Amino acid sequence: MVFLGLLSLASFFFAFCQAAVTWNATPFNPSSIPLAVRTPYLSTWLPQGSGSALNAVWAQHWTGQTVGWAGFIKVDGTAYSFLGDPRISAPFQKATQKSMQFTSTQSVFVMSAGPVDLTVTFLSPVEPTDLTKQSFPFSYMALSVTATDGNSHSVQIYSDITAEWVAGDITLPVNWSTATGGTLVHQVQLQNQTVFAEATDRALYGSAFYATTSASGVTYQSGEDLVVRAQFVNNSVLLNTADTGFRPISERWPVFAFAHDLGKAVNSTPSTPVVVSVGHVRDPAISYIIAGGQLQDRSSYFWNQFSDISDAITSFTADYANALARNTKFDAQVQKDAVAISVDYAAIVALSIRQTMGAMEITISKNSDGSFNTTDVLVFMKEISSDGNINTVDVIFPAYPLLLYVNPLLAKYLLAGLFEYQATGQYPNKYSVHDLGASYPRAIGHNDGADEPMPVEESGNMLIMALAYAQKSGDNSQLTTYASLLDQWTQFLIADSLIPESQISTDDFAGSLANQTNLAIKGIVGIKAMAVIAGILGDTEKSQNYSTTAASYVTRWQTLATSPDQSHLTLSYGDSASWGLSYNLYADKLLKLNLFPNVVYQMQTNWYRGVQQSFGVPLDTRHTYTKSDWSIWTAAVMTDTNARDAFISAVKKTAANGLSSQPLGDWYETKDGKPEGFRARPVVGGHLALLALSSQTASPVNSSSSPSASAVDVPSGARNIAVPLPFSWLGQLLRRGSWSGLRFPGVLEPPQRSVSRIFVLHNSARIS
Ligand SMILES: *[C@@H]1O[C@H](CO)[C@@H](O)[C@H](O)[C@H]1NC(C)=O
Ligand SMILES: *[C@@H]1O[C@H](CO)[C@@H](O)[C@H](O)[C@H]1NC(C)=O
Ligand SMILES: *[C@@H]1O[C@H](CO)[C@@H](O)[C@H](O)[C@H]1NC(C)=O
Ligand SMILES: *[C@@H]1O[C@H](CO)[C@@H](O)[C@H](O)[C@H]1NC(C)=O
Ligand SMILES: *[C@@H]1O[C@H](CO)[C@@H](O)[C@H](O)[C@H]1NC(C)=O
Ligand SMILES: *[C@@H]1O[C@H](CO)[C@@H](O)[C@H](O)[C@H]1NC(C)=O
Ligand SMILES: *[C@@H]1O[C@H](CO)[C@@H](O)[C@H](O)[C@H]1NC(C)=O
C-alpha cells in the first residue's frame, strides 16, 4: 500500500516537473486544445498533458488516434515547421510558440519564425441559430504573417493533411482526387465504404476534404509525405500534380497539400489570412427508425441548400471573414455573460462549447420525390467515449443548459426523435427509453426494450427537458403533441420516485442503489413539471392533482432523506453518514418551481463547504471521484457565492492541472485531480448551467412558416464536441455490469405519428 502511494506521488511530481508551457496561455492551458471540432468524426485536438507546442506533437482525433496535419513556413528561404511533428530529410527549424489563446469558437497560436510571427487561427464555427451553417461539417485554419523586425520579407506557407482524417485503422486502402476549379479541393476516402458503420469510433464511410481558394501563388500536390513536404521545403512551391497510386493510409503516407506564396513584401502589417478548410462529410448521415420498424436515411441539414459538395465547400471557404466576425461576436457575448459569474467560470465555459456542439449533427429527411423535407429536422448527439449511444437521454440532460442558452430550438430537435420514436409504440417499456440506438450513427431504437434501464432517471429527464424548452421558447407544441407520453411517464414517477427501487442513475459507473435521495428529487420535480404542463394544456384538475402529489412527496422526502442531525441530505434513505451531490435540485431552479424549501438549499450549501477535497467535492460517499457537470449544477443551487465559486474553481483547477492529454474529461478524482476514463463528452454543456438559469425566457417562437423569419432569438446570452478500445469496452462493461436487470414492461398509448413541426428556421440562410 505504502509502495503504491509513493509510486503515484512520484508520477504526480513527474507531471508537474515536466511543466512545458513556455508560452502565454489564455485563459489557461487545457488538457487538449480543440483545433477542428464540429462532429463526432470531425474532432481534431492538440493533446497537451503538461504542455505541447503546436509543432511539437501530432494532432489527434478525440479517440487519441493521430490525425496528420503538418505546416511549414518559409521566411527569406529558411524553413520552419509550425504544425505537427513532420520528420523529413530536407533541412528546417521549428518555429517557437509564443502564445495560445482559446475562446468558445477559436484556438489561436502565435508562432515565431525568425523575423516574423505567424498567427494560426483554428476556427470551428458555432452557428446555433443557422441550421445550414451549423450542420456543415467543416472547420477553418487561417494563417497570417507579421514581420517583427521592421523589414520586409519573402514568405511562403505550406500545409497538408494525411488520410488519417478518414479512418483510425491506418492499414485500410484509400483513394483520392483533387478538383482544381475556383476552389482547390483535395478529397480522400476509404476504398471500401460501409454506410452507417464505425470502427474504433471512426466512420467507415464518407470523405475527408482539404480546400483553399484558388489564386495566383497558390499551388497544390498530393503524394508521399516525405516527397511533398521536401518539395516545399526545398523549392517553396508545389508541383500542381496528383499521385494516382492509391494505397493504404500508412503506405508511403499519401498527403494532400497546398502552398501559398505571400510574396516578398510581408511587413509589420498583418498579411491577409491564408484560409484552408478541412471537413469530413457523410451522406446519408444517420439511419433512423420510423413507424413500422422502417429505417429512414437522413442527411445533414446543409444539403437542402447545395446541389453538390463542391458548391458548399466553395461557399464555406470563401465565407471565412464573415464567419470570423460572427463567431467573434458570439465569443464576446458568451464571455460577457460568463465573466459576470467569475473569471474561472468564463474559462470553463469557453472550453466546453465546441466540445458539446461537436457531438451533434442536424439532419433532415427526403420527400418521396427526392427533395429535402426541411420541416422534418432532427438533431442527433453521440455519447462520445462512454459508449457511443445515440441521443442518450441522460447525456442530453446534462448538456441541456448549453442548448437552452445558445438556441432552445436545438433542444427541441434533440428531444424530437425520442418523442417520435416512443409515440410509434415500438418501444415496449412504460418509462422513457434510455437512448435511440446503441451505436451512433444508427438511431434504430430499442424495440426489444433491452436498452440500459434508467426508469426514474430518464422519465424525469424527459419531463424536465420538455417543460424547460417550452418555458424558454414559448412554444408548447411538443407538450401538446406528446401529452399522453408525458403523462404515462408521470404515472411511473408517481409510483416509483418517492421510494425509488434499486436502480442505476445517470452515474451508472457508481453502481445501483435503492432509495437514492437525488434520484427521488428528479422524480418529484418531474411530477411537478407535469403539473405545470397540465396547466399549460388547460387541464386544471390534473394540474392540481399532480401539484398536490409533488408537494406531499417533498414533505415525506425531507423526512426520509435528511440526516438525523439535520446537517445534510443522505445519499440514500436511512444511511445517515452518507451524502452526495444533490445536483437534481438544479431542475427545481431551472423550471422556477420553488418546490423544495429553501432550508434544503441552505443545509446543502453549508454541508459542501466542509467536505471539499483538493479538486472538488466527491460525487458521493461511495467513491472519491466527482463529475464536473454535476459540480457546476450543484454550484448553481448554492445559496451563497463563496460556496458556488468553490465548486467552479475546483473544476477549473482540474481542467488546468496538466494531468491529462485528453479532450476535457468530466469524471476525475477529487484527491489528486487525476482523470477517469471519460473524455470529449457533450455533458460539459452542463457547465453552462449558470447561464441557462440567468438567461431570460426567450421571446415566443414565431410559428409562422415564413422561411426567412428569424424565428428564434437567443435568450439574453449568445446571439446567434476511441478512447482506445479498452476504454470503450470498459465503459460498456461498467454500464452493463452494474445493473441488476429491473424491467417495467407495460402498456403503451396508441401510436401517434401525426407530428406537425411548425417551425421553419432560417431556411434561406446559405453558407456564404
Ligand atoms: C474510390 O473508390 C470508390 C469505391 O471503391 C469509388 O466509387 C470512387 O470512384 C473511387 N474514387 C477515385 C477518385 O478513384
Ligand atoms: C469492407 O469493410 C467491411 C466493414 O469493415 C468488411 O466487413 C468487408 O470485409 C470489407 N470488404 C473488403 C472487400 O475489404
Ligand atoms: C530536398 O533536398 C534534399 C537535400 O537537402 C534532397 O536530399 C531531397 O532529395 C530534396 N527533395 C526534393 C523533393 O526536392
Ligand atoms: C415533412 O415532415 C413533416 C414532419 O415530419 C411531415 O409532417 C410532413 O408530412 C413531411 N412532408 C412531406 C411532403 O412528406
Ligand atoms: C427504502 O426506504 C423505505 C422508506 O424508508 C423503506 O421502507 C425501504 O425498506 C427502503 N428500501 C430499501 C431497499 O432499503
Ligand atoms: C389524483 O387523482 C387520482 C386519480 O383520480 C386520485 O386517486 C388521487 O387521490 C388524486 N391525488 C390527489 C393528490 O389529489
Ligand atoms: C411572425 O412572422 C410573420 C411573418 O414573418 C409576421 O407577419 C408576424 O408578425 C410574426 N409574429 C411575431 C409574433 O413576431
Side-chain angles (χ1 to χ4, degrees):
M1 292 307 273
V2 173
F3 179 67
L4 278 175
L6 281 175
L7 260 184
S8 72
L9 196 66
S11 60
F12 188 74
F13 268 96
F14 178 66
F16 277 105
C17 297
Q18 268 188 321
V21 179
T22 54
W23 49 87
N24 290 321
T26 311
F28 68 92
N29 213 70
S31 56
S32 192
I33 301 168
L35 299 182
V37 179
R38 298 219 61 203
T39 74
Y41 305 114
L42 184 70
S43 184
T44 299
W45 302 72
L46 188 69
Q48 288 300 295
S50 52
S52 301
L54 184 60
N55 59 355
V57 292
W58 288 113
Q60 293 180 352
H61 185 256
W62 70 256
T63 50
Q65 297 151 346
T66 294
V67 173
W69 203 357
F72 292 99
I73 180 170
K74 288 192 76 171
V75 184
D76 302 328
T78 303
Y80 304 82
S81 69
F82 68 85
L83 173 62
D85 189 22
R87 313 283 168 93
I88 57 172
S89 56
F92 69 93
Q93 303 172 30
K94 278 190 186 250
T96 304
Q97 184 166 319
K98 283 177 143 177
S99 64
M100 182 284 300
Q101 176 175 16
F102 67 83
T103 63
S104 293
T105 66
Q106 297 162 55
S107 299
V108 183
F109 299 76
V110 176
M111 309 295 291
S112 162
V116 307
D117 278 356
L118 170 65
T119 300
V120 189
T121 301
F122 295 91
L123 168 61
S124 293
V126 175
E127 312 259 15
T129 59
D130 186 321
L131 303 185
T132 297
K133 289 189 174 68
Q134 182 58 42
S135 67
F136 192 58
F138 272 69
S139 191
Y140 297 103
M141 176 173 72
L143 305 156
S144 178
V145 183
T146 312
T148 53
D149 65 353
N151 297 321
S152 291
H153 299 279
S154 170
V155 175
Q156 297 79 35
I157 300 179
Y158 166 98
S159 69
D160 72 47
I161 64 166
T162 66
E164 289 161 300
W165 289 72
V166 301
D169 179 351
I170 58 176
T171 66
L172 296 176
V174 289
N175 66 12
W176 55 82
S177 58
T178 304
T180 58
T183 307
L184 297 171
V185 183
H186 292 297
Q187 173 174 353
V188 55
Q189 56 269 314
L190 292 175
Q191 284 186 34
N192 175 20
Q193 299 264 315
T194 312
V195 76
F196 302 131
E198 273 188 346
T200 61
D201 280 297
R202 306 290 296 278
L204 286 174
Y205 73 112
S207 303
F209 294 88
Y210 201 50
T212 195
T213 301
S214 183
S216 75
V218 182
T219 52
Y220 69 89
Q221 196 168 335
S222 61
E224 181 181 354
D225 59 342
L226 299 178
V227 173
V228 177
R229 290 167 186 165
Q231 165 63 31
F232 175 80
V233 167
N234 289 355
N235 308 299
S236 313
V237 68
L238 296 175
L239 298 175
N240 292 334
T241 56
D243 182 339
T244 52
F246 301 145
R247 56 188 183 270
I249 294 167
S250 61
E251 187 180 315
R252 290 177 293 110
W253 300 86
V255 300
F256 309 94
F258 297 118
H260 293 79
D261 185 358
L262 276 52
K264 294 183 167 55
V266 173
N267 57 30
S268 58
T269 305
S271 66
T272 304
V274 162
V275 177
V276 293
S277 58
V278 63
H280 187 278
V281 179
R282 296 144 28 245
D283 190 49
I286 300 281
S287 177
Y288 171 65
I289 186 167
I290 56 175
Q294 280 182 280
L295 296 178
Q296 178 189 67
D297 287 356
R298 301 187 62 89
S299 295
S300 298
Y301 187 94
F302 76 87
W303 282 110
N304 87 88
Q305 295 292 327
F306 296 96
S307 49
D308 63 53
I309 192 66
S310 71
D311 285 354
I313 294 172
T314 295
S315 175
F316 178 86
T317 307
D319 190 45
Y320 175 71
N322 297 323
L324 181 67
R326 283 191 306 274
N327 281 274
T328 300
K329 194 176 162 199
F330 174 89
D331 289 343
Q333 184 67 52
V334 174
Q335 176 69 16
K336 178 171 173 277
D337 293 346
V339 88
I341 305 290
S342 76
V343 170
D344 277 354
Y345 186 62
I348 289 295
V349 164
L351 188 60
S352 304
I353 289 183
R354 276 170 291 181
Q355 181 164 320
T356 308
M357 297 302 288
M360 293 189 286
E361 298 191 279
I362 304 168
T363 68
I364 43 178
S365 60
K366 275 185 177 152
N367 297 313
S368 47
D369 66 358
S371 62
F372 287 107
N373 184 349
T374 53
T375 60
D376 181 22
V377 183
L378 296 178
V379 174
F380 294 92
M381 178 185 273
K382 181 169 178 176
E383 185 181 340
I384 285 179
S385 107
S386 35
D387 66 9
N389 289 174
I390 183 163
N391 284 24
T392 309
V393 176
D394 64 292
V395 168
I396 296 174
F397 185 69
Y400 216 63
L402 180 145
L403 299 161
L404 295 177
Y405 173 74
V406 302
N407 183 1
L409 201 51
L410 294 176
K412 178 188 193 181
Y413 292 146
L414 258 176
L415 299 189
L418 289 156
F419 274 121
E420 277 186 9
Y421 167 60
Q422 291 177 88
T424 64
Q426 296 173 95
Y427 181 66
N429 301 319
K430 68 177 178 181
Y431 51 79
S432 165
V433 74
H434 171 268
D435 60 73
L436 269 183
S439 209
Y440 202 92
R442 288 154 42 84
I444 60 173
H446 289 283
N447 290 357
D448 60 0
D451 51 314
E452 189 178 20
M454 295 188 185
V456 172
E457 176 73 51
E458 312 301 26
S459 301
N461 290 343
M462 288 301 288
L463 283 153
I464 292 164
M465 292 193 288
L467 179 58
Y469 166 70
Q471 288 182 339
K472 292 284 185 189
S473 66
D475 162 22
N476 299 327
S477 63
Q478 222 165 34
L479 304 182
T480 307
T481 307
Y482 299 108
S484 64
L485 261 182
L486 290 163
D487 200 40
Q488 174 188 318
W489 295 331
T490 307
Q491 300 318 309
F492 182 79
L493 294 180
I494 290 171
D496 199 50
S497 68
L498 179 60
I499 309 290
E501 285 206 41
S502 178
Q503 61 195 291
I504 44 174
S505 73
T506 181
D507 306 309
D508 50 4
F509 46 83
S512 64
L513 193 62
N515 286 332
Q516 295 182 59
T517 295
N518 189 47
L519 198 57
I521 295 172
K522 174 165 298 175
I524 300 169
V525 172
I527 298 166
K528 177 69 182 187
M530 188 63 205
V532 176
I533 292 168
I536 291 171
L537 299 178
D539 191 338
T540 317
E541 199 182 320
K542 186 181 273 182
S543 179
Q544 287 290 345
N545 182 301
Y546 291 164
S547 266
T548 308
T549 301
S552 79
Y553 278 15
V554 169
T555 308
R556 292 165 64 190
W557 167 90
Q558 240 184 303
T559 307
L560 290 166
T562 307
S563 65
D565 66 358
Q566 309 285 305
S567 66
H568 63 273
L569 296 175
T570 58
L571 171 63
S572 60
Y573 304 161
D575 185 358
S576 49
S578 71
W579 52 267
L581 295 181
S582 42
Y583 54 82
N584 283 325
L585 287 168
Y586 175 73
D588 186 29
K589 294 284 178 204
L590 179 69
L591 301 174
K592 301 186 178 9
L593 302 174
N594 296 317
L595 184 59
F596 288 81
N598 218 16
V599 61
V600 171
Y601 289 94
Q602 276 157 5
M603 178 176 71
Q604 291 303 88
T605 301
N606 291 335
W607 178 256
Y608 293 134
R609 249 193 282 274
V611 290
Q612 287 271 348
Q613 300 289 329
S614 293
F615 292 86
V617 177
L619 181 62
D620 63 54
T621 38
R622 287 173 292 181
H623 307 272
T624 54
Y625 54 60
T626 198
K627 294 280 274 79
S628 64
D629 47 353
W630 303 140
S631 296
I632 299 292
W633 279 44
T634 310
V637 303
M638 293 292 93
T639 56
D640 74 61
T641 50
N642 286 340
R644 178 195 77 184
D645 291 348
F647 275 101
I648 292 169
S649 294
V651 171
K652 154 74 192 317
K653 181 181 173 187
T654 310
N657 72 13
L659 296 179
S660 166
S661 58
Q662 311 170 356
L664 185 58
D666 53 293
W667 183 26
Y668 47 84
E669 281 296 324
T670 56
K671 285 178 183 275
D672 58 16
K674 282 187 184 155
E676 296 280 358
F678 292 170
R679 66 176 78 175
R681 302 203 323 147
V683 303
V684 301
H687 297 161
L688 277 74
L690 288 128
L691 298 183
L693 274 189
S694 60
S695 68
Q696 292 148 13
T697 299
S699 48
V701 174
N702 190 334
S703 58
S704 123
S705 57
S706 160
S708 61
S710 198
V712 165
D713 226 350
V714 179
S716 99
R719 294 278 137 199
N720 312 335
I721 268 148
V723 195
L725 273 173
F727 279 100
S728 261
W729 173 83
L730 183 66
Q732 292 273 6
L733 184 77
L734 284 168
R735 296 183 72 103
R736 310 278 169 217
S738 58
W739 173 245
S740 57
L742 184 63
R743 290 278 183 286
F744 297 88
V747 190
L748 207 102
E749 303 299 314
Q752 31 162 262
R753 163 88 198 161
S754 58
V755 185
S756 65
R757 289 209 197 77
I758 51 177
F759 305 102
V760 178
L761 174 71
H762 295 291
N763 249 353
S764 61
R766 293 183 58 94
I767 285 183
S768 61

